[in-house]
Amino acid sequence: MPPKAAPKPAAKKAGSKPAAKAAAKPAAKAAAAKPAAKPAAAAPKAAAAGAGNGVYVKGLGDTSADAIKDVFSASGKVSSVQVRRNKYALVFYEQNASVAKAVQGFNNKEFKGQQLSVTAAKTSAKADAKAGSKVVFASPIFRVNTTRNQARELFAGFGKIQKLKLYQNNAAFIYFDSAAAAQKAVSEKNGTTYKDKKLLVKLSVRSIEAEKAKVAAGVARGEVKKFIHSQH
């Protein structure tokens, strides 16, 4: 008999693979807490109009707005100056803190031989209706002894004069071609002497544009009236 085939060795059972050991990762170190940044110091806020950022000044005499601004700028940046009847002034600052400095620095101090009274203003800064004006008011300029050409010569050199009006109340209105020319005329002529009289020269709320519009409105009303009458 042929020899029996040797039995095949039994297949090895697939052994279970050893569980992969999870590599223990070192725990992430908690980031060290940084000290909280200190809040930045707040920049001083500009004072809103009417938020107590002005001073009321008496004892200035006939000092111009520009001169007042120069003096009170020692206490802070001045945003506007309003001169009332050449008797007192309201000086407004950009920062509230400047008000206390102005009161401390100028109240009861002597200015041009007079004692100043400086107190915190309760009123708010109002929009200046004369800002950017091209028209100047001047007085006294006596119509009885001053011709239009003489009045023009008085204000020549500041800019082109577009129009000039003389009135019986010894006042004149000079219309310049630019606001810069009008402001220069005020700065250089106010307080000067003309024919033995001290001049008051200041900006006016008048304008050529407004007067033209007024004339045009009057013409339009006239045309409407004519048309209405023509229908009767």
Side-chain angles (χ1 to χ4, degrees):
M1 290 179 66
K4 291 180 180 179
K8 292 181 181 179
K12 292 182 179 179
K13 292 180 180 180
S16 58
K17 294 182 180 179
K21 293 182 180 179
K25 295 182 179 179
K29 293 182 180 179
K34 295 181 179 178
K38 293 181 179 179
K45 294 180 180 179
N53 59 331
V55 290
Y56 177 87
V57 187
K58 293 179 70 176
L60 292 166
D62 293 334
T63 310
S64 69
D66 287 340
I68 294 170
K69 183 175 182 178
D70 289 342
V71 171
F72 280 84
S73 290
S75 299
K77 192 167 183 180
V78 176
S79 58
S80 68
V81 175
Q82 297 174 10
V83 180
R84 304 287 175 82
R85 301 177 184 175
N86 284 345
K87 292 183 179 179
Y88 66 91
L90 287 164
V91 181
F92 293 96
Y93 289 97
E94 291 191 359
Q95 305 294 336
N96 291 355
S98 300
V99 173
K101 290 180 182 178
V103 173
Q104 293 172 2
F106 294 104
N107 189 41
N108 294 326
K109 297 296 173 65
E110 187 174 315
F111 179 76
K112 292 185 177 180
Q114 298 185 50
Q115 188 178 45
L116 291 179
S117 171
V118 182
T119 56
K122 295 180 181 179
T123 186
S124 61
K126 297 178 181 178
D128 188 357
K130 299 175 185 177
S133 174
K134 302 177 186 178
V135 183
V136 165
F137 166 86
S139 178
I141 295 180
F142 294 97
R143 189 175 176 180
V144 293
N145 62 0
T146 304
T147 65
R148 289 171 57 84
N149 285 338
Q150 288 174 331
R152 280 180 173 271
E153 288 175 8
L154 179 62
F155 290 93
F158 300 118
K160 183 179 178 181
I161 296 175
Q162 297 180 310
K163 186 177 180 181
L164 187 144
K165 290 183 176 181
L166 291 175
Y167 291 87
Q168 290 182 350
N169 63 348
N170 304 323
F173 285 91
I174 304 93
Y175 296 70
F176 288 97
D177 65 341
S178 70
Q183 185 59 60
K184 189 175 181 183
V186 171
S187 299
E188 296 192 20
K189 285 297 183 180
N190 185 45
T192 59
T193 301
Y194 180 68
K195 294 189 176 182
D196 298 324
K197 298 292 181 180
K198 188 175 181 179
L199 286 176
L200 169 63
V201 182
K202 60 183 181 179
L203 294 177
S204 170
V205 295
R206 294 190 178 197
S207 72
I208 285 183
E209 294 76 13
E211 291 185 4
K212 286 181 178 179
K214 189 175 180 180
V215 170
V219 170
R221 284 195 297 269
E223 293 298 328
V224 170
K225 287 181 179 179
K226 287 181 181 178
F227 174 77
I228 292 174
H229 286 308
S230 67
Q231 303 304 307
H232 293 289

